[in-house]
Amino acid sequence: YQAKRDRTGVEVYESKRDSNTPDRLGLLGDLRRALDAHEVELHYQPKVRFDGQVAGLEALVRWVHPERGKVPPDEFIAIAESSGLMPHLTEYVLETALGQVARWRAQGLFVPVAVNVSPRDVHTPGFAGSVAARLARHGVPAGALQLEITEHVLLEDPTRAADTLNALTGHGVKMSLDDFGTGYSSLVHLRKLPVSELKIDRSFVARLAVDAEDAEIVRCTVDLAHSLGLLVVAEGVEDDETWEHLRDLGCDAVQGWLVASAMPADETTAWLLARGSRGWQRPAAALPAAA
Ligand code: C2E
Ligand code: MG
Ligand code: MG
Ligand code: MG
C-alpha cells in the first residue's frame, strides 16, 4: 500500500481501487479483528441550526490501523460492503452510538444521534426489528435515533427497501437522506422514501459562495425539500460566507468544520456542556462589526 501523512502527521492509508488485491483482503481481516477488539471508534459531528441550537450529532467511524495509521472510512466501508462484513460493522456502530446516547441522556444531554447505514443493511432481513430491539435494550427512545441513508438503497429491490424503512419510521426512528444530489432520478426516489430530513451533499455546498450554478442548485433543493415538508441540512460548511448564504436561502441546519469537525465522545461531551443552552455561537458573529 501507499501511505502519506496528513496534517497531523499521522499516516493515512491509501489503497489502489481494485477490489480483491491481497492488500484489500488483508485489510478486511484486520477490520474484522479491530471490530472484535473494539479498536474502531466513533466520532461525533454536530448539526446546528442557525440560532446555534444543536439539532443532533452524526456518528462517524474512525479506524486507526496499528501499522497503516488512519484508514479513511470511505475506504474500509467499501471493503465491508463488498465482503459481507457490513451488517457486523453497522451493528457495532449502532451498539456503540446507542450506548453513548444512553450515557449522554443520563447526564441530562438529550441530543439525537444519526448513524449512517448502507444499502446492504437496509436489505438485511430483520434489520428494522433488530434496531427496535437495540433501542429498547439501551432504554433509548426511537426519536433519539436518526438513520442516514442514500438513494442507493432503492437500486436493488426498492419495494423491500421501502418496507424496511417504513417499519423503522413506524417504530419512531427518523430517516435522513444523505448526499442528496449525487444519486439518480432524485425526485422519484424522494417521493418514495419515508425521510424527514434531506442533507445536501458537500460537493454543492463547498463552492456555494463563489459558484452561481451551485448556489442555484442549493436554492432549488431547499425549496423542493420544504415543499415536501422536509428539513434541510447542508454538509461541509467551512466558512462564514457559506453559512450566511445558506441562512439566506432558508436552509434549516448546517454541519461542517466551521462549527466543529467530528470529535471523540469525551470531547463531544465537553463541547456540548461548554455550549449549554446557548448553543453554538459563530466566532465572527460574536465580534463587533469590523470595517
Ligand atoms: P457522510 O455521511 O456524507 O459524512 C460526511 C463526511 O464529510 C465525513 O467524512 C465528515 O468528516 C466530512 N466532513 C464534515 N464536515 C466537513 C467539512 O466542513 N469539510 C469537509 N471537507 N469534510 C467534512 P468521513 O468521516 O470521512 O466519512 C465519509 C463517509 O463514510 C460518510 O459520508 C459516510 O458515507 C461513510 N461513513 C462514515 N461513518 C460511517 C458508518 O458508521 N457507517 C456507514 N455505513 N458509513 C459511514
Ligand atoms: Mg452521513
Ligand atoms: Mg453526507
Ligand atoms: Mg458524503
Side-chain angles (χ1 to χ4, degrees):
Y1 69 102
Q2 302 152 10
K4 65 171 190 211
R5 289 184 184 273
D6 73 2
R7 280 180 305 182
T8 56
V10 176
E11 255 190 18
V12 175
Y13 163 81
E14 277 187 302
S15 82
K16 298 175 199 77
R17 284 276 160 191
D18 3 318
S19 57
N20 272 319
T21 57
D23 194 50
R24 223 174 134 103
L25 293 175
L27 206 56
L28 172 62
D30 292 349
L31 176 58
R32 202 171 266 134
R33 277 189 292 276
L35 289 173
D36 291 339
H38 293 262
E39 283 167 14
V40 174
E41 265 190 60
L42 288 190
H43 285 195
Y44 298 88
Q45 187 179 36
K47 301 182 187 179
V48 304
R49 290 195 283 264
F50 286 90
D51 62 3
Q53 294 303 308
V54 180
L57 300 167
E58 179 176 6
L60 294 159
V61 277
R62 295 290 178 261
W63 180 27
V64 181
H65 188 284
E67 287 120 40
R68 303 173 190 232
K70 285 183 196 173
V71 186
D74 286 328
E75 197 75 58
F76 65 87
I77 278 151
I79 293 174
E81 181 89 30
S82 61
S83 67
L85 190 61
M86 200 62 221
H88 185 40
L89 175 63
T90 299
E91 276 171 29
Y92 179 94
V93 172
L94 278 168
E95 189 60 27
T96 309
L98 290 177
Q100 187 59 58
V101 171
R103 280 193 294 281
W104 277 327
R105 293 175 69 82
Q107 283 180 263
L109 295 167
F110 296 94
V111 58
V113 168
V115 166
N116 293 280
V117 299
S118 88
R120 181 71 48 243
D121 300 313
V122 175
H123 290 284
T124 299
F127 180 66
S130 83
V131 170
R134 213 178 284 279
L135 281 161
R137 191 145 34 77
H138 285 279
V140 171
L145 177 67
Q146 198 177 32
L147 296 180
E148 296 194 5
I149 55 166
T150 63
E151 293 160 83
H152 300 286
V153 299
L154 291 176
L155 284 184
E156 145 203 345
D157 202 347
T159 312
R160 169 130 144 233
D163 286 349
T164 300
L165 299 176
N166 284 319
L168 284 163
T169 54
H171 290 301
V173 176
K174 298 240 169 46
M175 306 298 296
S176 175
L177 189 58
D178 205 355
D179 301 340
F180 186 76
T182 61
Y184 316 80
S185 54
S186 313
L187 297 180
V188 178
H189 288 175
L190 196 51
R191 207 155 46 90
K192 279 195 201 146
L193 292 170
V195 297
S196 53
E197 179 185 280
L198 185 154
K199 295 181 79 174
I200 304 180
D201 193 68
R202 184 170 79 230
S203 57
F204 303 107
V205 176
R207 306 190 64 251
L208 173 67
V210 291
D211 184 318
E213 273 181 18
D214 284 354
E216 193 56 21
I217 289 169
V218 172
R219 192 183 64 77
C220 292
T221 307
V222 170
D223 292 349
L224 167 74
H226 283 166
S227 69
L228 294 170
L230 307 179
L231 290 171
V232 190
V233 179
E235 59 178 32
V237 179
E238 297 183 358
D239 54 61
D240 267 316
E241 217 182 337
T242 307
W243 163 282
E244 276 160 19
H245 212 118
L246 287 162
R247 182 197 53 204
D248 296 346
L249 290 175
C251 186
D252 300 292
V254 300
Q255 200 179 348
W257 297 344
L258 174 70
V259 178
S261 46
M263 304 169 276
D266 53 349
E267 254 178 64
T268 308
T269 309
W271 190 93
L272 291 168
L273 290 171
R275 270 126 203 109
S277 52
R278 257 181 330 116
W280 178 76
Q281 305 288 314
R282 254 194 321 154
L287 298 170

